[in-house]
Amino acid sequence: MDYEIFDQMSRSLWNRRMYADIAKTAIKRCTAMVPDFFTRPVRLADVGCGTGAFAEAMAARIPTAAVVLADCRGGAVREAKEIIGRICNCPVRGVIGDVADLNLSENPVDLIISRGSIRFWPNQEAALTALLRSVRPGGLLYVGGGRGSGDFQRMRQVAEVQEREHLAWCRRPDIPNYLWEDKIYIRYFKRAAADYRIFRGEDGHWMLWQRRGGSNA
């Protein structure tokens, strides 16, 4: 799979605005689940980070104690580290490898985020289990895909012709899609999570869940 087009999209001005919109929604949803979650700096991991656009948008809006950038492509991780290192006054670590092999259990993070990557994970259960062991007890995971709020998308489609080309490309039938049906995710979350929400609407398809045990500490 050639990911270069995804990297080019993420670096565009409109995509930076899109990630800012997505980050705003992510923070709102995390705070609704755990009201005091962002009252202290968090250890943040962006899985399937690409060039780090989601992590960059989140780190600009929440206090961060550390950032982990994980992707199967070394070049993307190195670029993401350089970008995040310029805006974050905290340690930034890169992890190269398959999501199913991710293991941050020795130094788990508080929050895992991932946008646009989950559809490419052929073993969904192994990937979700890897994410869960990499977040601390009581920590949150916000994973899914979308192109920002409905209002943002409508504004963008009026202003940017290229957005329509991006949408057509993303809907090509040859792009992998290993997503489960929501009912299967729900069964997984009922077994593995302390709390969960699935959001499906204008802003895309997102899942938020909390690892069992612990507190916001």
Side-chain angles (χ1 to χ4, degrees):
M1 181 71 189
D2 183 2
Y3 294 95
E4 279 301 310
I5 192 165
F6 288 105
D7 294 342
Q8 292 168 14
M9 290 179 192
S10 70
R11 288 192 292 264
S12 74
L13 174 61
W14 272 104
N15 269 288
R16 289 171 63 88
R17 294 172 178 170
M18 177 191 74
Y19 276 104
D21 188 79
I22 290 171
K24 180 180 176 180
T25 300
I27 293 166
K28 180 179 178 181
R29 288 171 173 169
C30 289
T31 303
M33 180 172 283
V34 182
D36 63 344
F37 196 77
F38 297 112
T39 57
R40 66 185 68 191
V42 300
R43 294 158 292 177
L44 170 73
D46 186 354
V47 177
C49 64
T51 57
F54 196 4
E56 179 184 8
M58 290 291 287
R61 289 161 178 80
I62 61 173
T64 51
V67 176
V68 177
L69 300 160
D71 201 283
C72 61
R73 298 174 299 134
V77 171
R78 287 189 289 272
E79 183 172 349
K81 282 185 66 179
E82 181 180 343
I83 292 169
I84 302 302
R86 291 199 297 263
I87 68 165
C88 264
N89 186 24
C90 68
V92 180
R93 174 188 171 197
V95 177
I96 303 168
D98 189 88
V99 61
D101 298 324
L102 183 68
N103 190 348
L104 306 178
S105 58
E106 290 189 2
N107 190 20
V109 297
D110 302 300
L111 173 64
I112 289 177
I113 57 172
S114 179
R115 179 213 169 250
S117 182
I118 187 173
R119 67 178 292 167
F120 296 104
W121 302 343
N123 189 331
Q124 292 278 300
E125 182 154 10
L128 295 178
T129 300
L131 297 186
L132 205 57
R133 71 177 171 232
S134 296
V135 72
R136 66 164 172 82
L140 298 178
L141 306 96
Y142 187 74
V143 176
R147 303 188 68 78
S149 65
D151 288 343
F152 173 82
Q153 291 181 65
R154 284 184 284 275
M155 176 181 66
R156 181 174 186 171
Q157 287 176 8
V158 169
E160 187 193 28
V161 173
Q162 191 179 21
E163 168 66 358
R164 293 190 287 274
E165 297 172 0
H166 288 174
L167 287 173
W169 191 91
C170 290
R171 290 167 180 162
R172 282 169 37 188
D174 59 319
I175 296 180
N177 187 352
Y178 298 103
L179 286 169
W180 286 341
E181 295 180 21
D182 281 354
K183 63 183 180 182
I184 303 177
Y185 288 113
I186 289 171
R187 285 203 296 268
Y188 179 86
F189 295 147
K190 285 183 175 179
R191 183 177 77 247
D195 197 3
Y196 71 92
R197 302 283 189 279
I198 295 179
F199 306 92
R200 187 182 286 276
E202 282 190 314
D203 75 317
H205 180 217
W206 294 93
M207 295 175 287
L208 169 65
W209 69 104
Q210 184 179 31
R211 181 175 171 179
R212 295 184 186 277
S215 60
N216 188 30

